[in-house]
Amino acid sequence: MKTTFKIFTLILVFTTFLFAQNKQIEKKIDDLLKQMTIEEKIGQLTQYSGDRSATGPVTFKGDHKELIKAGKIGSMLNVLGTNYTRQYQEIAMQSRLKIPLLFGQDVIHGYKTTFPIPLAEAASWDLEAIEKAARIAAIEASASGIHWTFAPMVDIARDPRWGRVMEGAGEDTYLGSRIAYARVKGFQGNGLGNIDAIMACAKHFAAYGAAVGGRDYNSVDMSERQLWETYLPPFKAAVDAGAATFMNSFNDINGIPATGNKYIQHDILKGKWKFDGFIVSDWGSIREMIEHGYSKDLSEATKQAILSGNDMDMESSAYRNSLAELVKNKQVPMNIVDEAVRRILRKKFELGLFDDPYKFSNPERERKELNNPEHREFAREIAKKSIVLLKNEKQTLPISRNVKNIAMIGPMAKVTKDNHGFWSVTIPELNYDKFVVSQFDGVKNHLGKDTNLLYAKGCDIDCKSNEGFAEAVETAKKADVVILTVGEAWNQSGEAKSRSNIHLPGMQEELIKAVKATGKPVVVLINAGRPLVFDWTADNADAILYTWWLGTEAGNAIADVIFGDYNPSGKLPMTFPRSEGQIPIYYNHFNTGRPAKDDKNITYRSAYLDLSITPKFEFGYGLSYTTFQYSDLKLDKKKMEMTDKIEVSLNVTNTGKYEGEEVVQLYLRDKVASVVRPVKELKDFQKIKLNAGETKTIKFTINKEKLSFYNAQLNWIAEAGEFDLMIGSSSADVRLKDTFELVNLNYIH
Ligand code: BGC
């Protein structure tokens, strides 16, 4: 009783404090707004990229510094490091009102220490680790003068042709929402105002991941159902986690560009979800509304953007050129401008920049945090967890350290930049070849002097000739086992990196065939920013590890898995198609009226004549060096009322020889509903660790929320009826099943 009282008092004191602090901030903003000219207000809404690097097409050719001094720029991106940010901030301090600048940066998967690309991290299904990676990224970035990351990218993506799948958490809304929440929490730590917290930015709002044909920047044509059911929930999760900012997107949604989309920004995000942060445009996306054919000129684009809720203009020069005139002509009310400025100033106050604009520019802290060995250690940790074992015939893996000769072959063996992957921050002074561990070095670090590590490149990533194959084959012949490392270059997945052909680039699969023909055991490592198609390899290699782009510690982490120091535990966050013709392919589709149950019976069924109905590797799939047995599924009741819940329990036993981790996945199917429901939907999961021979009891709770969906009127409801419960090791590998019923006794919704 006493403790409850204490906790209650603490919460009360804290809330009262927050309330008073917020009130104070709003009062300070009121005072400031009264002093600001319209140009200074627009300045707060204006953001430009620094002149050292750009992450989009630069259109502004003038002098940023002059504008900053005149109070006409409120935020910069691509300005990093304590020195450089300080230089800029000093200029802002020469402006009339001395409003500090905000420094934003794409800190997508780490800052100096890079972690696996977000899609790879999602494969870890380890929310704690994912949050910690974001935390470390924030610690490093904030120590380097950054206030704000343009992450997490929470776009659901069902089309691996789209290069930006690498930035998100994959195809699933539930997993994606949990990860969105974890990442926001990680970036923002104990809250803005703390020295190591940076603002998160949920992007790209909205539905950018559904670009037609997987072609970047393309249109999105989407039903309201799909929008609410599949694409919006991760954004809502970001709001729930307290995301300070949102970024809109390049695409149009059903004909209206997201940047000028009032329904999306004003009505849903700021209205229904009560988001109190600010929205930044994507790079140049206000101006691009002209190209879309939505705005006749920059002035109209400006008006459409600000009236629909876009607060900050990144790189369009739209607000700077047109907004004052629009206000003067009463086409945009001043209170709309004030509201946008307020949202931005609020964050500057919350970050503590008005108290000390140089708060994040401490070189000593920068040196310390950017060289913190614990960050590297963790990079290795999460990289190991992100690797997915796709195949392991005759227990080719792990490779014994007693092997005499190992050949490392392939274009990815000695690279560093490609381990880093797309959207890595480039710190000018850093020698990445020394900083990033190559796969060859990682393997070498693991071997004693009695093992020879041979090497042949075989071919380049994009090779058009088989010139290097003979040397690769000769090298393979001298070895007891071959590690063949192939994949995409760092710039073959990412923004504007859509591909219609997602096979292994160049002649890499031919190289695998040539090496495999030696008869030596071949372990293939596939490094990529997206699911690739590699049908022959999947069928013929002895073992395959999907190693994505794993970041700074890639080489060591991969070697940890190869030699069995770590037992792989990753599970695919996206479906891997057999060929491009299956795209889009995802596990949680509807059943249709004519489903094909298998590949043999497809007459008058929903299938392709020339392709299996199954993917190559399904969502949730991933092997381990050990095996897990699922048993004893129990439901504490088979009927539940709307306000009730069902407790589910089951046992998982490690039946193999190695300690290992398993992601136990819970899927549900609403068998009959007023709108059709997917064949299965992930609704919960747990990642557990088991010693060899150990059994653990896993518990899940099913409540109304997990059974709810959007009905025809788009109300979030649950309907009485029967549900299938499926628990398994992947979306296709269901090990335990049951059914239960949701009953509606006295409940009125
Ligand atoms: C991307 C954003 C990114 C921005 C700033 C744009 O091209 O779409 O995701 O945050 O550039 O670099």
Side-chain angles (χ1 to χ4, degrees), residues 55 77-78 106 150 164 167 203-204 208 247 250 282-283 314 423 495:
T55 39
L77 73 151
N78 296 327
D106 291 284
F150 304 129
R164 299 197 81 167
E167 282 177 63
K203 70 186 191 186
H204 305 84
Y208 183 41
M247 184 187 291
F250 289 124
D282 203 345
W283 181 296
M314 180 196 288
W423 281 128
E495 184 177 348

Coordinates of all heavy atoms in Angstrom, one line a residue, residues 55 77-78 106 150 164 167 203-204 208 247 250 282-283 314 423 495, ligand 1:
T55 N 21.9 14.8 -49.9 CA 21.3 13.5 -50.0 C 20.1 13.6 -50.9 O 19.1 12.9 -50.9 CB 20.8 13.0 -48.6 OG1 20.3 14.2 -47.8 CG2 21.9 12.4 -47.8
L77 N 20.4 20.3 -42.6 CA 20.7 18.9 -42.5 C 22.1 18.7 -43.2 O 22.6 19.6 -43.8 CB 19.6 18.0 -43.2 CG 19.5 18.0 -44.7 CD1 19.0 16.7 -45.2 CD2 18.6 19.1 -45.2
N78 N 22.6 17.5 -42.9 CA 23.9 17.2 -43.5 C 25.0 18.1 -43.0 O 26.0 18.4 -43.8 CB 23.9 17.1 -45.0 CG 23.0 16.0 -45.5 OD1 22.9 14.9 -44.9 ND2 22.3 16.2 -46.6
D106 N 20.4 12.0 -41.5 CA 19.8 10.6 -41.7 C 20.7 9.6 -40.9 O 21.7 9.0 -41.5 CB 19.9 10.2 -43.2 CG 18.8 11.0 -44.0 OD1 17.7 10.7 -43.9 OD2 19.3 12.0 -44.7
F150 N 16.5 11.5 -39.2 CA 15.3 11.3 -40.1 C 15.1 9.8 -40.1 O 15.2 9.1 -41.1 CB 15.6 11.8 -41.5 CG 15.9 13.2 -41.5 CD1 17.1 13.7 -42.1 CD2 15.1 14.2 -40.9 CE1 17.4 15.0 -42.2 CE2 15.4 15.5 -40.9 CZ 16.6 16.0 -41.5
R164 N 14.1 0.8 -51.3 CA 14.1 1.4 -49.9 C 13.6 0.3 -48.9 O 13.5 0.7 -47.7 CB 13.3 2.7 -49.9 CG 14.0 3.7 -50.8 CD 13.5 5.1 -50.5 NE 14.2 5.7 -49.3 CZ 14.1 7.0 -49.0 NH1 13.4 7.8 -49.7 NH2 14.8 7.4 -47.9
E167 N 15.5 0.1 -45.6 CA 15.5 1.1 -44.5 C 14.4 0.8 -43.5 O 14.3 1.4 -42.5 CB 15.1 2.4 -45.1 CG 16.2 3.2 -45.8 CD 15.7 4.5 -46.4 OE1 15.2 5.3 -45.6 OE2 15.7 4.6 -47.6
K203 N 8.9 8.2 -40.8 CA 8.8 8.6 -42.2 C 8.5 7.3 -43.0 O 8.8 6.2 -42.5 CB 10.1 9.3 -42.8 CG 11.3 8.4 -42.9 CD 12.5 9.2 -43.2 CE 13.7 8.3 -43.6 NZ 14.9 9.0 -43.8
H204 N 8.0 7.4 -44.2 CA 7.6 8.6 -45.0 C 6.1 8.5 -45.0 O 5.5 7.6 -45.6 CB 8.2 8.5 -46.4 CG 9.7 8.4 -46.4 ND1 10.3 7.2 -46.3 CD2 10.7 9.3 -46.5 CE1 11.6 7.3 -46.4 NE2 11.9 8.6 -46.5
Y208 N 4.4 5.3 -48.7 CA 5.5 5.4 -49.6 C 5.9 4.0 -50.1 O 6.4 3.8 -51.2 CB 6.6 6.2 -49.0 CG 7.9 6.5 -49.8 CD1 7.8 6.9 -51.1 CD2 9.1 6.4 -49.1 CE1 9.0 7.2 -51.8 CE2 10.3 6.8 -49.8 CZ 10.2 7.2 -51.1 OH 11.3 7.5 -51.8
M247 N 8.0 12.9 -41.2 CA 8.4 13.4 -42.6 C 7.3 12.9 -43.5 O 6.9 11.7 -43.4 CB 9.8 12.9 -43.0 CG 10.2 13.4 -44.3 SD 11.8 12.6 -44.9 CE 12.9 13.3 -43.7
F250 N 7.2 11.4 -50.9 CA 7.3 11.9 -52.3 C 6.1 11.5 -53.1 O 5.8 12.2 -54.1 CB 8.5 11.3 -53.0 CG 9.9 11.8 -52.5 CD1 10.8 11.0 -52.1 CD2 10.1 13.2 -52.6 CE1 12.1 11.4 -51.6 CE2 11.4 13.7 -52.1 CZ 12.3 12.8 -51.7
D282 N 9.6 16.0 -47.3 CA 10.7 15.2 -47.8 C 11.5 16.2 -48.7 O 11.1 17.3 -49.1 CB 10.4 13.9 -48.5 CG 11.6 13.0 -48.5 OD1 12.7 13.4 -48.1 OD2 11.4 11.8 -48.7
W283 N 12.7 15.8 -49.1 CA 13.6 16.7 -49.8 C 13.0 17.2 -51.1 O 12.7 16.4 -52.0 CB 14.9 15.9 -50.1 CG 16.0 16.6 -50.9 CD1 15.9 17.2 -52.1 CD2 17.3 16.9 -50.4 NE1 17.0 17.8 -52.5 CE2 17.9 17.7 -51.4 CE3 18.0 16.7 -49.2 CZ2 19.2 18.1 -51.3 CZ3 19.3 17.2 -49.1 CH2 19.9 17.9 -50.2
M314 N 11.9 21.2 -46.5 CA 13.2 20.8 -46.7 C 13.6 21.0 -48.2 O 13.0 20.4 -49.1 CB 13.4 19.3 -46.3 CG 14.8 18.7 -46.5 SD 14.9 16.9 -46.6 CE 14.6 16.5 -44.9
W423 N 22.8 4.4 -46.9 CA 22.4 5.3 -45.8 C 23.3 5.2 -44.6 O 22.9 5.1 -43.4 CB 21.0 5.0 -45.3 CG 19.9 5.6 -46.1 CD1 18.9 4.9 -46.7 CD2 19.7 7.0 -46.5 NE1 18.0 5.8 -47.4 CE2 18.5 7.1 -47.3 CE3 20.4 8.2 -46.3 CZ2 18.1 8.3 -47.8 CZ3 19.9 9.4 -46.8 CH2 18.8 9.4 -47.6
E495 N 17.7 4.5 -51.6 CA 16.8 5.4 -52.3 C 17.2 5.5 -53.7 O 18.4 5.5 -54.1 CB 17.0 6.8 -51.6 CG 16.0 7.8 -52.3 CD 16.0 9.2 -51.7 OE1 16.6 9.4 -50.7 OE2 15.4 10.1 -52.4
Ligands
BGC1 C1 14.8 10.9 -48.5 C2 14.5 11.0 -47.0 C3 15.7 11.6 -46.3 C4 16.0 13.0 -47.0 C5 17.1 13.7 -46.4 C6 15.2 12.2 -49.1 O1 15.6 12.1 -50.4 O2 13.6 10.4 -49.1 O3 14.3 9.7 -46.4 O4 15.5 11.7 -44.9 O5 16.2 12.8 -48.3 O6 18.3 13.2 -46.6

